[in-house]
């Protein structure tokens, strides 16, 4: 087939030429929480690329990070580096890297209908540990899963992988802002996940069928590492070239789920205008850069000041949370500042203070 | 999630519960009372399992 014919066939097989990629931050550019976290042993959104969650049970100790090791055309990857091994997994051991997707962003899959669409997951992977790995789609609305394997052939070499999953005519995805689908890369799994008959299509979730019995145990040596980038989930049976988006575009998409004020790394960065409503009580509004997925949880870190007093404090409160919504939030803090109707809430001199809003799935 | 404390907070000047002040994995946070918020869902899961009690507001 000529190149032109190949291109025509490829275009004809796809439903969209832009906004194809249903994965957010697939190039691992955005890392609002931080770029590296050590001693990871349990499930969390770690200090590593946004939107990707570590799920982990009894499977060694890890440093996860936003790495600058990447294939040509990319600048970052998500890296797992084993720092304490577990060569003898427990039955419930597992390590997964996953991304959760809102149901309202997946309606084009037509899942649960006679016209259900196939989807293709493509990515670049690099590891010293060659062998068989499992990739899973998990429909959380209907508790259905479909797993497939991919093989890493060459150690310490970036390899491009493409895995296609047939459409599922059972189980429609909810058209709402809650999680509907997990895309999950298994890096290790105990017999609770591997002892059954490995998945051959969409089916009600049976843990024992979720992971291939040939699955690599990436936790078996502190020499092991695994990196991934260029992640794309798209409708269709063929992987198309990775849809690169600008950093600003990806950042805004990530901030729908997690937003951390940045202030100034050199200190005294302004965070909000606040008004004094009591002897030691101030309130202000922090406008979010984008509408968050749902009402977020609030926390803070570091030391703050109010400009009028220069008094440094680290106790920041979410107040009564009465204004928690998906557009902005009040903050309440105690300070012994001087009288005044309004002032600036800012970082202390170390520039480390941040207001944190979390609406992750 | 390791949740070590949870207490309702009432609306400013009122008596209705507005959110939950909690400590999760060592981080103090304020969690809206809303299903679908992953922290609220986990709090209620642990409450249902009898592993956590949400204290009344002060």
């Amino acid at each position: 087939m000529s190149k032109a014919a190949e291109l025509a066939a490829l275009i004809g097989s796809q439903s969209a030429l832009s906004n194809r990629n249903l994965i957010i931050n697939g190039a691992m550019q955005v890392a609002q929480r931080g770029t590296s976290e050590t001693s990871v042993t349990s499930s969390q959104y770690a200090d590593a690329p946004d939107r990707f969650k570590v799920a982990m049970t009894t499977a060694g100790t890890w440093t996860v990070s936003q790495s600058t090791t990447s294939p040509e055309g990319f600048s970052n990857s998500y890296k797992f580096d084993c720092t304490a091994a577990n060569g003898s997994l427990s039955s419930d051991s597992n390590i997964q890297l996953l991304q959760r997707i809102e149901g309202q962003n997946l309606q084009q899959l037509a899942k649960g209908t006679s016209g259900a669409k196939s989807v293709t997951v493509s990515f670049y992977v690099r590891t010293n540990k060659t062998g068989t790995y499992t990739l899973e789609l998990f429909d959380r609305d209907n508790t259905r899963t479909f797993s497939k394997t991919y093989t890493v052939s060459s150690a310490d070499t970036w390899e491009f992988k493409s895995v296609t999953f047939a459409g599922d005519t059972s189980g429609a995805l909810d058209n709402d802002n809650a999680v509907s689908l997990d895309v999950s890369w298994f890096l290790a799994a105990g017999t609770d996940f591997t002892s059954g008959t490995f998945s051959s299509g969409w089916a009600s979730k049976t843990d024992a069928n979720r992971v291939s019995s040939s699955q690599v145990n990436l936790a078996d040596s502190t020499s092991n590492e695994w990196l991934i980038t260029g992640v794309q989930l798209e409708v269709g049976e063929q992987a198309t070239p990775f849809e690169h988006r600008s950093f600003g575009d990806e950042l805004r998409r990530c901030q729908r789920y997690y937003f951390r004020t940045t202030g100034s790394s050199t200190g005294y960065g302004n965070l909000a205008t606040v008004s004094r409503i009591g002897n030691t009580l101030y309130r202000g509004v922090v406008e979010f850069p984008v509408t968050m997925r749902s009402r977020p949880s609030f926390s803070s870190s570091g030391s703050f000041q109010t400009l009028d007093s220069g008094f440094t404090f680290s106790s920041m409160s979410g107040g009564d949370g009465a204004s928690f919504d998906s557009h902005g939030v009040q903050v309440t803090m105690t300070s012994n500042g001087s009288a005044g109707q309004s002032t600036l809430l800012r970082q202390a001199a170390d520039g480390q203070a941040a207001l944190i809003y979390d609406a992750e799935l | 999630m390791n949740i070590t404390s949870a207490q309702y907070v009432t609306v400013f000047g009122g008596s209705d519960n507005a959110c939950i002040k909690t400590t999760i994995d060592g981080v103090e946070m304020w969690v809206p009372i809303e299903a679908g918020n992953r922290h609220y869902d986990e709090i209620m899961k642990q409450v249902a399992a009898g592993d956590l009690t949400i204290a009344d507001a002060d």
Side-chain angles (χ1 to χ4, degrees):
Chain A
M1 185 183 293
S2 69
K3 290 294 181 189
E6 284 182 17
L7 179 61
L10 182 62
I11 292 172
S13 69
Q14 304 301 318
S15 59
L17 296 180
S18 62
N19 290 309
R20 302 185 315 279
N21 194 356
L22 298 169
I23 295 290
I24 296 172
N25 200 27
M28 312 297 177
Q29 300 162 278
V30 179
Q32 293 184 84
R33 293 173 180 83
T35 56
S36 181
E37 183 161 343
T38 60
S39 303
V40 173
T41 59
S42 59
S43 301
Q44 60 190 280
Y45 285 96
D47 293 354
D50 275 39
R51 297 277 20 255
F52 286 87
K53 181 179 183 179
V54 175
M56 189 179 295
T57 302
T58 320
T61 305
W62 299 80
T63 294
V64 298
S65 62
Q66 180 193 44
S67 172
T68 55
T69 300
S70 59
E72 186 176 288
F74 295 87
S75 297
N76 298 107
S77 61
Y78 198 121
K79 179 179 180 180
F80 280 72
D81 183 9
C82 185
T83 57
N86 182 346
S88 182
L89 296 176
S90 307
S91 61
D92 65 345
S93 294
N94 72 92
I95 307 171
Q96 301 169 62
L97 180 67
L98 60 90
Q99 183 164 132
R100 293 184 163 157
I101 305 175
E102 294 177 55
Q104 61 191 0
N105 291 343
L106 295 165
Q107 296 303 302
Q108 66 267 48
L109 272 59
K111 192 173 179 301
T113 74
S114 59
K117 303 289 197 299
S118 297
V119 296
T120 297
V121 181
S122 55
F123 54 94
Y124 293 85
V125 64
R126 174 183 172 134
T127 175
N128 62 295
K129 185 86 173 172
T130 59
T132 301
Y133 289 80
T134 302
L135 173 63
E136 179 191 65
L137 300 185
F138 179 3
D139 165 6
R140 287 188 165 270
D141 290 331
N142 304 285
T143 322
R144 292 170 62 80
T145 63
F146 187 1
S147 298
K148 286 195 163 186
T149 61
Y150 65 94
T151 302
V152 175
S153 304
S154 301
D156 301 320
T157 304
W158 283 107
E159 296 183 9
F160 177 75
K161 304 298 175 187
S162 172
V163 183
T164 296
F165 298 82
D168 186 8
T169 56
S170 297
L173 300 176
D174 296 340
N175 185 23
D176 60 20
N177 64 348
V179 58
S180 284
L181 188 74
D182 288 0
V183 182
S184 181
W185 290 259
F186 279 86
L187 307 185
T191 54
D192 286 356
F193 301 93
T194 62
S195 59
T197 302
F198 183 57
S199 169
S200 59
W202 282 103
S204 295
K205 182 170 79 77
T206 301
D207 277 342
N209 299 346
R210 293 173 66 185
V211 179
S212 166
S213 58
S214 301
Q215 167 71 46
V216 160
N217 174 16
L218 194 74
D220 68 1
S221 169
T222 55
S223 298
N224 290 347
E225 60 181 29
W226 182 88
L227 302 89
I228 188 171
T229 193
V231 179
Q232 182 152 284
L233 167 66
E234 60 192 309
V235 173
E237 296 181 351
Q238 285 183 276
T240 62
F242 181 78
E243 182 182 14
H244 287 278
R245 293 190 284 247
S246 71
F247 179 87
D249 190 355
E250 292 287 13
L251 176 62
R252 287 292 180 265
R253 291 172 190 250
C254 292
Q255 287 174 332
R256 175 170 171 79
Y257 304 89
Y258 180 92
F259 168 54
R260 181 187 185 101
T261 58
T262 51
S264 167
S265 60
T266 56
Y268 303 119
N270 296 321
L271 301 173
T273 302
V274 295
S275 296
R276 190 178 184 194
I277 62 170
N279 190 37
T280 59
L281 187 64
Y282 295 76
R283 285 195 169 188
V285 174
V286 175
E287 293 289 342
F288 301 151
V290 296
T291 301
M292 298 197 77
R293 181 189 66 83
S294 66
R295 298 167 72 199
S297 302
F298 169 80
S299 62
S300 66
S301 68
S303 298
F304 301 84
Q305 286 186 350
T306 49
L307 183 60
D308 58 346
S309 67
F311 176 70
T312 299
F313 59 98
S314 57
S315 177
M316 176 71 67
S317 162
D320 61 17
S323 68
F324 278 0
D325 58 33
S326 56
H327 302 282
V329 71
Q330 293 186 80
V331 294
T332 305
M333 55 198 174
T334 54
S335 164
N336 62 354
S338 57
Q341 292 303 302
S342 65
T343 186
L344 284 174
L345 169 67
R346 66 180 189 176
Q347 298 173 305
D350 63 6
Q352 298 299 305
L355 307 174
I356 300 163
Y357 304 92
D358 188 331
E360 273 289 2
L361 292 165
Chain B
M1 294 180 196
N2 180 25
I3 304 176
T4 51
S5 70
Q7 182 180 26
Y8 284 111
V9 178
T10 56
V11 296
F12 186 71
S15 58
D16 293 337
N17 290 329
C19 67
I20 299 170
K21 180 182 178 183
T22 183
T23 301
I24 300 177
D25 296 333
V27 177
E28 185 176 63
M29 62 175 61
W30 283 257
V31 174
I33 300 173
E34 181 166 293
N37 176 291
R38 66 192 180 101
H39 299 119
Y40 178 75
D41 290 347
E42 182 63 25
I43 288 170
M44 300 315 291
K45 179 181 172 184
Q46 295 193 19
V47 168
D51 297 330
L52 178 69
T53 300
I54 307 174
D56 292 336
D58 290 331

